Amino acid sequence: MCGIVGYVGKAPVVETVLEALRRLEYRGYDSAGIAVLNGRGIEVRKRVGKIEALVESIRRQPIRDGHIAVCHSRWATHGEPTEANAHPHTDCKQTLAVVHNGIVENYAELKSQLLAKGHRFRSQTDTEVIAHLVEEYAKREPLDCAFRHALKELRGSYAVCLLSKHEPHRLFGAKNSSPLIVGVGKREAFFASDVPAILGRTRRVVYLNDHEVVELSASGPRLTTLDGKRLHRKATTVAWDVAAARKEGYPHFMLKEIHEQPATIEQTLFNRLDAGKRRLTFDRRTKQFLDRLSPNEKFIVIACGTAYHAGLVGEYMLEECTRIPVDVDLASEFRYRGAQLGRDTTVIAITQSGETADTLASIQMAKAHGAKTLAICNVMGSSIARAVDAMLYTHAGPEIAVASTKAYTSQITALALLTLYLAKRRACLPPAQWRRLFDGLAKLPEAVQRALETERAVKAVAGEYARARNFYYLGRRYNYPSALEGALKLKEICPVIHAEGYAAGEMKHGPISLIRKGWPVMFVAPHSSVYEKVISNIEEVRARKGACIVIASEGDPAIKRHADSLITIPRTEEFFSPVVAAIPLQLFAYYVADANGCDIDQPPNLAKSVTVE
Ligand code: AGP
């Protein structure tokens, strides 16, 4: 959560950092602030609300420019979203400014020590202690040592950048369990929470590890350990281009990302699926990892939110096609359930950002217990990507909208690749069935492209139900996770609506009691092995006068008489139906939210990357 930007260079700093910060707004948006070192010392401006409020304030009353600055967009953890609690936070004399993402768990203890030493606090945040701690140590030692010293005192997570009045050409930064990268440009350099911030200025990135400290000047970063030992690391060039971080004519990032899915799925398959030779492959490290799995291997998939739903789809895929036993756990629960892990267990993390705190902590725990680890992740160089034994990147490009869309379908695609690779190696499927699934995977981008053609019909249906305030989403087997995901999408971006996803067979065990005339129920009912069962569930709802919106396969004439509203998607193997069904579910959520005037890309209380537990 929270977006951090730091800049040193010759460009006008206010405009440069605000532009970068705008690209991180998806990380948190309850307040924003900037600190610029200029002829007047450190000038700080903060505003409650979105970055635009800060920009507007600077437009009305400009800040004198400089060449070094830090700025921040906040997702509140400690202290309400007020101006006083917005970052940057300064020391007593305003000679230092700090921006921070994470939680300083021992801040209360540190604060009382600092108060006893005469420090004056202005906010209720945990972050402010960092500024005062550095101030305290800097009374006796140079700033770089004082910064390291202060970091050693912190418990919890941090990505932090420090600006000092006495250091006009250097910023300081460090991370522990919260993301921070360095962008290296031409005679300019950045700190940022994520790559999209710096796209357009540079694609050369230095990824930082926990407990590393950076002194950043316009000529680049100087890395050391917390003890001051010099480290050397080359910048890597990221493949993402700046267009990926812009709306490119779409009204919202979410809609753009929904439309990108044929291409992003293609990217997930690229270099892994050889359609001509009907062959699957992975990079050397991942292939070796998979080839060495034990015949008794057990998988535990851990993830949060949408990624967890992708994991549930993976459970059906892997168990059906590879016979490997699979558990799927919410990362926030897995950590505390005392799972039995051992050498024959692979813990698979699914995560778009690669930074989700609970997922990262689960991976660390799994490693500590001797399990093997694999991640399906979108962000190169992210904390989880670096923590695991093997990686399966989704290559979906930056996902900016808070609501995950293209990352979800790419995660399922990656799980399909994994499943079919292992199914072949273990000879678990009849060859004809394997070939059918392989061919289906190769054609998945095409099926998704066709599913996008439902947009107009979905928009019309969304218009009919936009005034409803409660929805159920139901599905079975592979599309039980689709129901969970469809409901999550709607309530996430349309916070005036309550939506709940259930396994369709569970309805009569409780939730059906709420059904009354006109209550909308979205059924995910494509052609599948459980089709008839789902039809029975539809009839149970209709018998109680609920309104059934049905997502069904093309070429299913019988479905019409069971549906109040019908959306048809291309017919695929059941195995792929969650990917194809995701498209109208995402579009439905989008158009209902749009009709309700919701803030689609930045829904209240949410942040894209949940880096606190
Ligand atoms: C999905 O729309 C949400 N924004 C959220 O549930 C998300 O999937 C979850 O926080 C996990 O994030 P990750 O994939 O980056 O780990």
Side-chain angles (χ1 to χ4, degrees), residues 365-571:
M365 191 188 96
K367 287 174 81 168
H369 284 75
K372 298 185 282 293
T373 54
L374 169 78
I376 294 176
C377 175
N378 197 34
V379 179
M380 286 217 182
S382 57
S383 302
I384 292 171
R386 279 176 297 151
V388 291
D389 300 318
M391 268 308 303
L392 234 171
Y393 281 111
T394 44
H395 298 303
E399 192 180 63
I400 309 284
V402 166
S404 184
T405 53
K406 62 177 181 172
Y408 175 65
T409 50
S410 277
Q411 286 158 355
I412 301 177
T413 305
L415 285 160
L417 278 166
L418 184 67
T419 302
L420 293 186
Y421 181 81
L422 293 172
K424 175 92 171 196
R425 246 194 101 70
R426 293 175 173 228
C428 293
L429 285 178
Q433 191 185 347
W434 189 89
R435 280 198 300 274
R436 251 198 344 267
L437 290 177
F438 179 95
D439 293 347
L441 186 55
K443 289 195 189 120
L444 195 54
E446 207 179 300
V448 169
Q449 183 65 54
R450 289 194 41 233
L452 281 166
E453 290 166 17
T454 60
E455 183 164 5
R456 194 186 287 202
V458 175
K459 188 176 177 182
V461 177
E464 278 173 50
Y465 293 91
R467 279 203 288 276
R469 288 297 170 258
N470 289 289
F471 281 79
Y472 278 145
Y473 280 68
L474 302 179
R476 290 184 92 119
R477 206 164 179 252
Y478 278 88
N479 287 296
Y480 161 47
S482 302
L484 298 179
E485 175 60 8
L488 175 64
K489 278 299 77 95
L490 182 60
K491 65 186 154 198
E492 184 180 20
I493 61 167
C494 190
V496 294
I497 290 176
H498 177 240
E500 218 50 71
Y502 277 98
E506 265 301 288
M507 266 305 268
K508 36 191 170 305
H509 298 283
I512 203 163
S513 69
L514 287 175
I515 300 288
R516 60 206 59 178
K517 191 166 188 275
W519 182 293
V521 183
M522 173 77 81
F523 275 95
V524 189
H527 164 79
S528 75
S529 56
V530 287
Y531 176 78
E532 273 86 16
K533 306 259 177 232
V534 181
I535 295 295
S536 305
N537 300 137
I538 294 177
E539 284 312 311
E540 288 157 12
V541 171
R542 282 167 65 86
R544 287 154 185 85
K545 301 202 171 13
C548 294
I549 313 163
V550 183
I551 297 177
S553 301
E554 285 167 358
D556 176 2
I559 194 76
K560 276 200 191 111
R561 68 187 140 85
H562 302 284
D564 294 287
S565 305
L566 182 63
I567 297 163
T568 51
I569 52 173
R571 180 170 166 157

Side-chain angles (χ1 to χ4, degrees), residues 261-371:
Q261 290 176 98
T264 51
I265 291 171
E266 189 96 55
Q267 279 300 118
T268 310
L269 298 176
F270 183 70
N271 267 347
R272 292 169 175 157
L273 180 146
D274 183 337
K277 295 190 179 134
R278 271 215 188 96
R279 208 175 54 192
L280 296 173
T281 189
F282 295 103
D283 64 80
R284 200 168 51 86
R285 187 165 147 212
T286 307
K287 188 173 174 323
Q288 266 176 9
F289 177 92
L290 296 174
D291 293 351
R292 286 184 190 153
L293 294 177
S294 128
N296 304 318
E297 198 73 26
K298 170 186 162 194
F299 286 164
I300 302 181
V301 177
I302 48 143
C304 301
T306 289
Y308 169 72
H309 299 155
L312 291 175
V313 175
E315 180 179 25
Y316 287 97
M317 288 175 158
L318 285 158
E319 290 203 327
E320 180 177 25
C321 300
T322 70
R323 292 188 219 116
I324 296 172
V326 182
D327 278 350
V328 188
D329 247 338
L330 291 163
S332 52
E333 288 298 315
F334 170 76
R335 295 175 62 189
Y336 306 105
R337 83 165 158 101
Q340 298 305 299
L341 304 171
R343 278 186 22 230
D344 288 350
T345 313
T346 296
V347 174
I348 304 178
I350 305 181
T351 168
Q352 188 283 131
S353 63
E355 302 292 349
T356 301
D358 282 312
T359 312
L360 178 59
S362 299
I363 283 294
Q364 285 159 346
M365 191 188 96
K367 287 174 81 168
H369 284 75

Side-chain angles (χ1 to χ4, degrees), residues 208-227:
L208 304 177
N209 294 320
D210 286 350
H211 310 298
E212 290 179 347
V213 180
V214 182
E215 294 171 33
L216 191 72
S217 67
S219 53
R222 183 176 184 278
L223 271 67
T224 56
T225 63
L226 273 183
D227 293 318

